[in-house]
Amino acid sequence: MRARDSDSWLTILPPLSPAAYLQPPRRELPFPLDQPSYRLFAMARRALWHGVKSLGIEHGAEVLVPGLHHGSEVEALIRAGFTPRFYDVDEGMAPREHELEACLGPRTRALYLIHALGIPQDPPRWRRWCDERGLLLIEDAAMALLSTWEGRPIGSFGDLAIFCLYKTVPVPDGGAVVGGASTARPTGRPRTGAARLLRRHAAWAAQRTPPIARAQSRTYDPVYRPSKERIVLGDLEAPAAVTTAYLLPRVADPAVAAQRRANYVRLLDALRDQVAPPFHDLPEGASPFAFPLDSDDVLGRARRFADRGVHATRLWPIGHPSSPPVDTPVAQRLRDRVVTLPVHQGLREIDLERIVEAGRAR
């Protein structure tokens, strides 16, 4: 079945149902939305820039950053005046202590820990590691909203933490930061977020309406074409959209984590032979962002999934220009081999069956 003939299109991000507007706002919100000190920007990279500026780190200080990263977070650190020192990760995306030790220098001031795919990376261990060396811990929970470690929210272990809200819940935008000394609120004028909002509604309709599914699929191109927009910070003072502020208390439901976990396990039961061993077990407390398949032909796999109405994507096609891949070979291997599939809370049983069918159709 070709994508143009498919009766649905399943996106990697959660779609927005029109029924969301009818939900009453929740009285209790999940971390970090329940913290008086959290700040909400349009994008997490901007939240990070403001957050690290509040930490009091001197200009030119070094921050240890994993080789497996998106690029925008590295740009935010550089623009804030810091120098990244890149460390390699293991096959499960966790830091390797000997790599960190090799990167330590007299100007090292912080460890940047990324909870990629929403999988917690033992934050108490790295909290202790940082404390023993007098370093700050920065948690990147961009994909880990609602993830926990032994019942404690991911992002609550670090001196600073950032979250990309729209990766987990269906809002137009939203980057949150918590921690730091006194991160200022954004001073810009909020936009409506109408265009992004319509895309989320279109994704919901594309799951259910063949003509819309075909229209959505035609815009998908698995070939990655780098552009400066990939890492550009843009308006640093832009707050989250008005529609994001309205929807957040209606869609930020902690129960979302359990549904994402169930969808991940459902796909794992069916496609385990295509998943790298480090991802065979979903850690307790993880709220997964996506489902990782291992492939020696990620572009071909992405195209074949698209032919069957499933949005498959490479999350880290390339790193920041300042990151030489030769120094982080494991991270580079993950970039080259991992293609991710939807596990979001908007998937129905028929959608999961479609993903499994597409995964088995080699």
Side-chain angles (χ1 to χ4, degrees):
M1 177 184 293
R2 299 290 301 176
R4 60 176 177 270
D5 300 321
S6 178
D7 58 3
S8 69
W9 177 248
L10 308 178
T11 57
I12 201 80
L13 296 177
L16 178 61
S17 165
Y21 299 100
L22 303 179
Q23 297 295 321
R26 300 180 59 83
R27 292 185 178 181
E28 295 184 3
L29 294 175
F31 186 89
L33 308 179
D34 61 345
Q35 300 297 300
S37 63
Y38 103 96
R39 300 289 182 257
L40 186 59
F41 293 80
M43 301 184 74
R45 63 190 71 176
R46 300 169 190 169
L48 175 61
W49 185 90
H50 281 274
V52 295
K53 294 288 279 188
S54 76
L55 290 174
I57 306 175
E58 71 272 22
H59 192 278
E62 294 179 348
V63 178
L64 306 183
V65 179
L68 190 67
H69 58 262
H70 175 269
S72 58
E73 69 280 77
V74 177
E75 184 70 9
L77 292 171
I78 293 173
R79 286 277 304 276
F82 308 126
T83 301
R85 288 288 304 274
F86 297 100
Y87 63 87
D88 207 3
V89 295
D90 65 21
E91 296 290 351
M93 307 180 298
R96 299 193 293 187
E97 189 163 347
H98 71 277
E99 290 274 350
L100 296 180
E101 296 288 353
C103 291
L104 284 175
R107 297 180 61 82
T108 305
R109 297 293 181 268
L111 169 64
Y112 195 88
L113 180 67
I114 298 180
H115 303 288
L117 291 179
I119 297 176
Q121 296 297 344
D122 195 351
R125 174 187 178 185
W126 303 114
R127 173 76 275 174
R128 291 191 299 271
W129 189 87
C130 287
D131 290 345
E132 291 167 359
R133 292 157 181 79
L135 303 179
L136 297 172
L137 175 63
I138 302 171
E139 288 187 82
D140 186 324
M143 301 183 193
L145 180 69
L146 305 181
S147 289
T148 62
W149 182 273
E150 297 181 346
R152 181 173 168 181
I154 290 301
S156 66
F157 296 85
D159 298 282
L160 187 81
I162 62 162
F163 301 81
C164 188
L165 305 179
Y166 62 84
K167 285 184 168 67
T168 301
V169 294
V171 290
D173 61 7
V177 59
V178 65
S182 56
T183 303
R185 297 180 185 275
T187 58
R189 182 176 180 179
R191 300 181 179 180
T192 63
R196 289 174 176 261
L197 191 70
L198 287 174
R199 285 198 287 273
R200 287 301 179 99
H201 283 308
W204 181 86
Q207 283 187 243
R208 296 159 173 81
T209 312
I212 298 177
R214 290 191 287 270
Q216 290 280 291
S217 67
R218 292 191 192 104
T219 67
Y220 175 67
D221 181 0
V223 177
Y224 184 75
R225 296 178 174 84
S227 67
K228 66 177 183 179
E229 284 74 21
R230 179 180 67 91
I231 61 173
V232 70
L233 301 191
D235 182 1
L236 290 168
E237 296 298 336
V242 173
T243 45
T244 294
Y246 176 83
L247 286 166
L248 261 181
R250 292 165 170 80
V251 299
D253 183 354
V256 162
Q259 187 58 60
R260 284 177 169 266
R261 289 180 60 85
N263 292 345
Y264 186 105
V265 172
R266 170 78 166 80
L267 297 182
L268 184 61
D269 288 343
L271 304 173
R272 184 181 296 270
D273 62 320
Q274 301 178 46
V275 178
F279 307 112
H280 281 181
D281 296 312
L282 187 63
E284 183 178 353
S287 176
F289 169 67
F291 183 78
L293 290 186
D294 180 75
S295 175
D296 55 7
D297 179 19
V298 291
L299 187 57
R301 287 308 304 275
R303 282 175 172 149
R304 288 190 287 276
F305 273 106
D307 287 345
R308 292 165 174 81
V310 180
H311 178 194
T313 186
R314 294 169 65 191
L315 294 179
W316 318 277
I318 60 174
H320 190 272
S322 65
S323 170
V326 67
D327 293 340
T328 53
V330 179
Q332 187 61 38
R333 187 157 61 250
L334 289 166
R335 290 184 189 280
D336 293 340
R337 296 191 60 88
V338 174
V339 59
T340 56
L341 307 176
V343 296
H344 60 70
Q345 62 274 21
L347 296 174
R348 306 161 297 171
E349 178 58 30
I350 191 174
D351 301 323
L352 292 167
E353 291 173 358
R354 176 182 293 276
I355 296 172
V356 169
E357 178 185 359
R360 288 174 173 167
R362 300 292 192 100

